[in-house]
Amino acid sequence: MTTSLSADGAPRLAPVDRIGRGLDALSLTHGRAVAALLALCLILFLPGQISLQPMDRDEPRFAQASKQMLESGDLVDIRFQGEARHKKPVGIYWAQAAAVAAGEALGVPGARTQIALYRIPSLIGAIASVLLAYWAALAFLPRRPALLAAALYGACLMLSAEAHLAKTDALLAACATASLAALARTWLAPRDGRPTSGPTSGPTSGPTFAAFWLGMAVGILVKGPMVPLFVALPALGLSLRARSARWLLPLRPWPGLALTLLLVAPWFAAITWKSGGAFYAEAVGHDMLGKVGGAAERHWGPPGAYALVFFATFWPGAAFAAMSLPFAWRARREPAVAFLIAAVLPAWLIFEAVPTKLPHYVLPLMPWLAILTVLALSRGALDPRLRGARLTALLVPAIPVALSLGLCLAGWRLDAHTIPWPALPLLAAACAVAILAWLAFAQGSAERALALGVLASALLGPAVLGVAQRSLPALKVSPRLAALRDRVPCPNPEVASLGYREPSLVFLIGTGLALPPDGAAARSFLEGGGCRLLFVESRDRDDFNAAWPVGRGAPAPLAEVEGFNLNTGRRVFVTAYAVAP
């Protein structure tokens, strides 16, 4: 307890702000701050890495292509079964293949079908992006609020989701944060009134140069032009504002470009030689321009879609980030705020204009929104007395409450009236802490509200990804089908699937999974001799049955699997047939 004076001058006792004291203790040194962020990341990102099934469709496509690199020994070409996969550069595949090779060397059983090994680069990328966000925040804020900003970014739901998926986006976020952090330090260092404290590296230092150009090079190998786009937009905007681009010279452009070219050119030259230009036709002409010109793979959304889903994807910080926007407009002429606006606004508008909408596209912009939010907090701009502030802050408890109810409803409807009971204590705790966060904000303690929001996320993420998903077998169709191989009365059956073609099944069964086009081809597969296992989805069952002659129907089913396909949004019924020699 601490002592203060009441209105009549009499002493009174006020409760100690334990959260504030905790932030003070954790930010006492940079080492403590980094350790605290690392611990938070492990709490948020580790649960569910092993138990969460391969999530269709992108994740198993990446993982299967990486697996085939190991199987073939070809580290240049990228293939999914027999088809070339020329959508993204090779960086993520190399990283995943290296992680799986390390797992094999350490004796992990069945390493090549353990999806958790393929997720290691995403896990590392997510952690690195949080630590880099802290380094970036130190250019704008003292150590304690910089720690809070990085924690707020680390706690956002989108980053937690991407840390659990063997895709490019978590690693891309780390690369973009590294390059933009170096750009921020270069912009802010020579300007008067730079709001930084503590030992930081100057813009011409080795760490700043390395962060900028290595982030650029690795980002190009991971996702092509995205990191250069994230960097070029603020660099151009700030140069126009300063009426000069000379502030970029401390980044040593010519040595940096030479280093980037040295790192990325060998693979691009190799894939050009090997594919004869087909990689560029697919990656640029079909994948990238297809998303710009239309809604690729049915992922369409109207302008404003990212702003709408942002309140869920950037939870728990989204409501407070929205409140910080008026402050950003008022302070737009300050160098620090000008950089944050330049880092977010142009890229955000481009993504809103492009017809293809996927929530993770704006993930690399979220560290800068977290920094803006805490900068607004430090200026007193997150005030519950402002019109609509308390109502907006209700989103903090609304998201975990809605998610908890949604999980219970999904289990009840999809899994024969099942409730994810093991997850309910954690879900309830997350909802309770989120309500406390709203109360703290309503009572005038915005910093306490942000810290409690981070704590709520540290409960909600493990509850959903680590516990609740285990209680929803209806969502695990491919793992349940792959497990049926153990029920076939002969070893190592050849496997085919008619109708059900999800990439997760290819990843779990193996590259040799056959995908017959119709019932006649499926019958021919079963009659091919030896030990065989066939899956037939309900939509193709009549075609399969009609392929057999009168009087000699299909063999008796081995098992039936019923579930829900998240990708198509519909129930699936798959029948398994087995033939033993």
Side-chain angles (χ1 to χ4, degrees):
M1 305 291 285
T2 59
T3 302
S4 60
L5 295 178
S6 63
D8 59 4
R12 65 182 179 186
L13 295 178
V16 172
D17 184 358
R18 290 185 175 86
I19 289 180
R21 292 179 61 182
L23 287 173
D24 284 337
L26 292 175
S27 60
L28 191 61
T29 66
H30 288 300
R32 283 194 184 189
V34 169
L37 290 172
L38 182 59
L40 175 66
C41 289
L42 295 178
I43 292 170
L44 288 165
F45 304 153
L46 277 184
Q49 289 285 343
I50 295 175
S51 60
L52 185 66
Q53 74 271 18
M55 298 297 291
D56 286 306
R57 293 183 169 127
D58 278 351
E59 181 184 36
R61 284 171 175 163
F62 279 104
Q64 175 64 24
S66 300
K67 185 207 301 183
Q68 289 183 215
M69 276 191 170
L70 293 172
E71 292 171 348
S72 66
D74 186 346
L75 298 180
V76 175
D77 204 8
I78 306 165
R79 308 194 75 79
F80 181 89
Q81 289 191 298
E83 297 179 3
R85 183 169 168 79
H86 293 157
K87 293 179 178 290
K88 302 290 186 293
V90 78
I92 191 64
Y93 304 101
W94 281 351
Q96 291 179 358
V100 175
E104 286 184 319
L106 294 173
V108 176
R112 295 191 181 183
T113 54
Q114 296 295 327
I115 190 63
L117 292 176
Y118 295 85
R119 290 169 174 162
I120 288 176
S122 293
L123 175 64
I124 294 174
I127 294 173
S129 71
V130 173
L131 299 181
L132 286 163
Y134 171 67
W135 184 61
L138 287 171
F140 299 83
L141 297 160
R143 191 183 299 138
R144 172 175 152 157
L147 169 63
L148 182 58
L152 192 65
Y153 163 63
C156 77
L157 293 184
M158 180 53 63
L159 183 63
S160 184
E162 291 301 329
H164 288 80
L165 297 175
K167 295 163 57 243
T168 57
D169 298 286
L171 200 54
L172 174 70
C175 295
T177 306
S179 292
L180 281 170
L183 189 71
R185 288 166 173 268
T186 305
W187 167 256
L188 292 174
R191 283 160 175 80
D192 293 337
R194 177 186 176 188
T196 186
S197 69
T200 59
S201 299
T204 58
S205 68
T208 303
F209 174 84
F212 185 84
W213 292 108
L214 289 179
M216 189 80 69
V218 177
I220 290 172
L221 284 174
V222 168
K223 208 164 183 177
M226 295 313 298
V227 172
L229 174 69
F230 287 125
V231 170
L233 290 173
L236 177 61
L238 293 171
S239 296
L240 292 174
R241 180 183 185 273
R243 299 181 182 179
S244 172
R246 293 183 62 83
W247 64 276
L248 294 168
L249 292 179
L251 289 171
R252 291 176 279 171
W254 294 118
L257 288 171
L259 174 64
T260 302
L261 189 63
L262 179 66
L263 293 175
V264 306
W267 178 79
F268 280 99
I271 193 64
T272 300
W273 174 79
K274 189 152 194 173
S275 71
F279 170 81
Y280 299 100
E282 175 69 14
V284 178
H286 182 267
D287 188 58
M288 186 175 73
L289 295 182
K291 291 175 180 177
V292 172
E297 300 176 4
R298 301 188 302 276
H299 297 304
W300 178 85
Y306 286 114
L308 184 62
V309 301
F310 174 77
F311 289 100
T313 56
F314 194 60
W315 182 90
F320 304 106
M323 295 180 212
S324 70
L325 296 182
F327 157 77
W329 175 253
R330 292 192 302 269
R332 63 189 182 277
R333 291 183 175 84
E334 297 180 16
V337 178
F339 182 90
L340 295 172
I341 293 173
V344 174
L345 185 58
W348 194 289
L349 292 177
I350 289 175
F351 286 129
E352 291 285 16
V354 171
T356 301
K357 298 284 194 302
L358 287 169
H360 57 258
Y361 283 0
V362 297
L363 177 62
L365 308 180
M366 292 181 180
W368 310 100
L369 289 165
I371 294 171
L372 175 64
T373 302
V374 177
L375 186 61
L377 168 70
S378 69
R379 305 285 188 87
L382 303 186
D383 191 338
R385 295 170 297 181
L386 297 175
R387 180 181 299 177
R390 288 185 176 89
L391 183 61
T392 303
L394 279 174
L395 286 167
V396 178
I399 295 299
V401 169
L403 190 54
S404 300
L405 294 175
L407 285 170
C408 293
L409 180 62
W412 188 261
R413 295 187 61 182
L414 301 179
D415 275 310
H417 298 177
T418 298
I419 298 293
W421 296 108
L424 290 187
L426 275 177
L427 290 172
C431 294
V433 174
I435 291 171
L436 290 177
W438 181 82
L439 290 173
F441 177 74
Q443 294 167 3
S445 181
E447 181 185 70
R448 183 180 179 85
L450 290 178
L452 286 171
V454 172
L455 177 58
S457 182
L459 294 167
L460 184 66
V464 175
L465 296 173
V467 183
Q469 54 88 13
R470 294 171 179 260
S471 304
L472 299 173
L475 304 182
K476 302 177 183 291
V477 176
S478 291
R480 291 159 63 199
L481 290 174
L484 293 177
R485 285 180 298 182
D486 296 334
R487 295 177 54 181
V488 178
C490 48
N492 302 319
E494 293 187 50
V495 186
S497 181
L498 173 62
Y500 185 78
R501 294 171 170 264
E502 295 301 326
S504 56
L505 187 64
V506 179
F507 172 75
L508 292 170
I509 294 294
T511 307
L513 174 69
L515 299 172
D518 53 33
R523 173 197 164 192
S524 298
F525 170 82
L526 270 187
E527 294 180 325
C531 185
R532 293 178 180 259
L533 175 64
L534 172 69
F535 303 125
V536 178
E537 191 177 355
S538 58
R539 293 180 302 170
D540 296 273
R541 195 175 300 163
D542 290 342
D543 182 39
F544 175 67
N545 290 331
W548 296 83
V550 177
R552 187 169 67 87
L558 173 71
E560 291 187 348
V561 170
E562 178 183 352
F564 186 81
N565 190 328
L566 277 173
N567 194 68
T568 61
R570 61 178 180 80
R571 287 184 174 274
V572 291
F573 301 86
V574 181
T575 305
Y577 301 88
V579 172

